[in-house]
Amino acid sequence: MLVALGLLTSFLSFLYVTAPSIRKFFAGGVCRTNVQLSGKVVVITGANTGIGKETARELSRRGARVYIACRDVLKGESAASEIRADTKNSQVLVRKLDLSDTKSIRAFAEGFLAEEKQLHILINNAGVMLCPYSKTADGFETHLGVNHLGHFLLTRLLLGRLKESAPARVVTLSSVAHHAGKIRFHDLQGEKYYNRGFAYCHSKLANVLFTRELAKRLRGTGVTTYAVHPGIVRSELVRHSFLLCLLWRLFSPFLKTTWEGAQTSLHCALAEGLEPLSGKYFSDCKKTWVSPRARNNKTAERLWNVSCELLGIQWE
């Protein structure tokens, strides 16, 4: 036991000594574009904290009018106040949006469309991870309901404004975890079998498939769309898992900061010449490979149709 403890201590000491070089390796790509956003309008879900907050900060710094769409309005106002002070841009606004409730999503969209005549960038950033089994206000399994269906409906409701403002972009945060995901149409809500880790993976695969199918349906509209893996980031996303919180704390020197985690979202929102890559999946500011399941066009189309049925909407 003492020997094992000594080896573990030595290993951790080695990691912390070499942390700077390891951190540099895992930091990933950086958004290099100098594009400015004066006169542009952006909506970012879940931008009251973490990656979304850093994304909002950078887009505000570039002159955009930024809407922080989040469930916790007080936390959103605190983030917005900080961003306004940091960027000297007063156009950082907070609006209530609960992605676990379609009534809230519709109310947000209705309010936004009445308030704004343009929308140039929509970043579907919010998400949940490793939640114990639960259902949204509409009866959807929480990971599926928030991570996929909530953003699916929000994008549908705002798409007309995006088309009117083209060129415009939709960026959806997925994860490398999609490689372990599977769209289980026979048990989409996890009622027969539920594992919260796999439920997260399934929802992240749904994000990639949504982006793939959306790109196909948006051809010729001037609106392009991208899925993003932000990297392994120090954020609040793991709050539902005591074990991951412990591991995140232990290995925090080697995880990406929220600023680093925001870089690929920013790249896909801003980089020039990205239009031919609409529908693709990005990591570290470059297109990367996806799982075979994420390349299945039939699954993508079927998921699209099932999502419309679940939400009671039509989207041709």
Side-chain angles (χ1 to χ4, degrees):
M1 182 68 177
L2 290 175
V3 172
L5 186 59
L7 288 172
L8 178 60
T9 302
S10 298
F11 175 67
L12 290 175
S13 298
F14 168 76
L15 285 180
Y16 277 83
V17 168
T18 58
S21 57
I22 296 175
R23 278 283 302 110
K24 186 176 180 180
F25 176 78
F26 284 108
V30 175
C31 177
R32 302 290 184 186
T33 180
N34 293 317
V35 168
Q36 296 301 303
L37 298 174
S38 179
K40 304 297 184 182
V41 180
V42 178
V43 169
I44 312 175
T45 67
N48 57 325
T49 188
I51 296 169
K53 181 179 174 182
E54 291 306 317
T55 305
R57 190 192 310 275
E58 181 58 30
L59 296 178
S60 173
R61 184 173 286 119
R62 292 169 184 254
R65 181 174 172 87
V66 178
Y67 281 81
I68 293 176
C70 60
R71 184 174 57 180
D72 189 334
V73 174
L74 288 178
K75 202 169 182 178
E77 290 290 358
S78 176
S81 179
E82 178 188 322
I83 292 170
R84 286 192 291 262
D86 184 31
T87 65
K88 306 298 185 291
N89 181 350
S90 62
Q91 298 186 90
V92 182
L93 309 169
V94 180
R95 298 293 181 267
K96 172 81 172 181
L97 172 65
D98 184 350
L99 287 163
S100 68
D101 186 346
T102 58
K103 289 183 180 177
S104 176
I105 298 169
R106 291 181 181 279
F108 167 81
E110 183 179 352
F112 175 83
L113 293 174
E115 192 171 359
E116 290 288 347
K117 299 306 178 188
Q118 291 186 307
L119 175 59
H120 302 93
I121 301 171
L122 169 62
I123 301 183
N124 293 322
N125 167 85
V128 294
M129 181 181 183
L130 301 175
C131 299
Y133 188 79
S134 58
K135 292 187 176 182
T136 68
D138 302 275
F140 307 133
E141 186 279 314
T142 299
H143 293 90
L144 178 75
V146 173
N147 295 350
H148 170 59
L149 291 173
H151 283 127
F152 186 96
L153 177 59
L154 178 66
T155 305
R156 171 66 183 91
L157 295 173
L158 298 182
L159 189 59
R161 194 65 90 238
L162 286 160
K163 288 179 177 178
E164 292 168 2
S165 310
R169 294 186 182 183
V170 179
V171 179
T172 300
L173 268 71
S174 179
S175 168
V176 69
H178 85 270
H179 286 277
K182 184 178 182 181
I183 305 302
R184 303 165 68 247
F185 288 107
H186 66 285
D187 189 24
L188 206 57
Q189 307 289 348
E191 293 173 327
K192 297 178 182 177
Y193 170 77
Y194 182 77
N195 175 289
R196 58 184 181 172
F198 281 122
Y200 174 73
C201 297
H202 300 336
S203 71
K204 294 293 100 178
L205 174 59
N207 292 148
V208 181
L209 290 168
F210 167 57
T211 298
R212 186 180 187 88
E213 184 68 14
L214 181 61
K216 184 178 78 173
R217 293 168 183 256
L218 288 177
R219 284 174 191 155
T221 66
V223 182
T224 52
T225 182
Y226 313 91
V228 165
H229 168 55
I232 311 301
V233 180
R234 296 198 299 269
S235 73
E236 298 177 5
L237 192 60
V238 299
R239 62 187 178 275
H240 292 292
S241 170
F242 173 77
L243 179 59
L244 277 184
C245 285
L246 191 63
L247 289 173
W248 254 233
R249 185 176 295 273
L250 185 63
F251 291 100
S252 62
F254 315 105
L255 304 179
K256 282 187 177 183
T257 64
T258 51
W259 182 88
E260 290 165 343
Q263 294 306 302
T264 305
S265 295
L266 291 166
H267 174 79
C268 289
L270 300 172
E272 304 93 331
L274 222 55
E275 289 77 12
L277 298 178
S278 183
K280 302 304 182 184
Y281 171 77
F282 286 74
S283 177
D284 287 333
C285 299
K286 59 182 181 293
K287 182 174 77 71
T288 191
W289 63 288
V290 294
S291 71
R293 289 184 180 124
R295 298 193 297 269
N296 191 312
N297 291 326
K298 289 184 178 179
T299 301
E301 185 173 359
R302 185 179 176 188
L303 178 63
W304 184 282
N305 292 333
V306 169
S307 299
C308 287
E309 290 172 12
L310 289 170
L311 291 165
I313 62 174
Q314 291 185 338
W315 192 354
E316 300 302 329

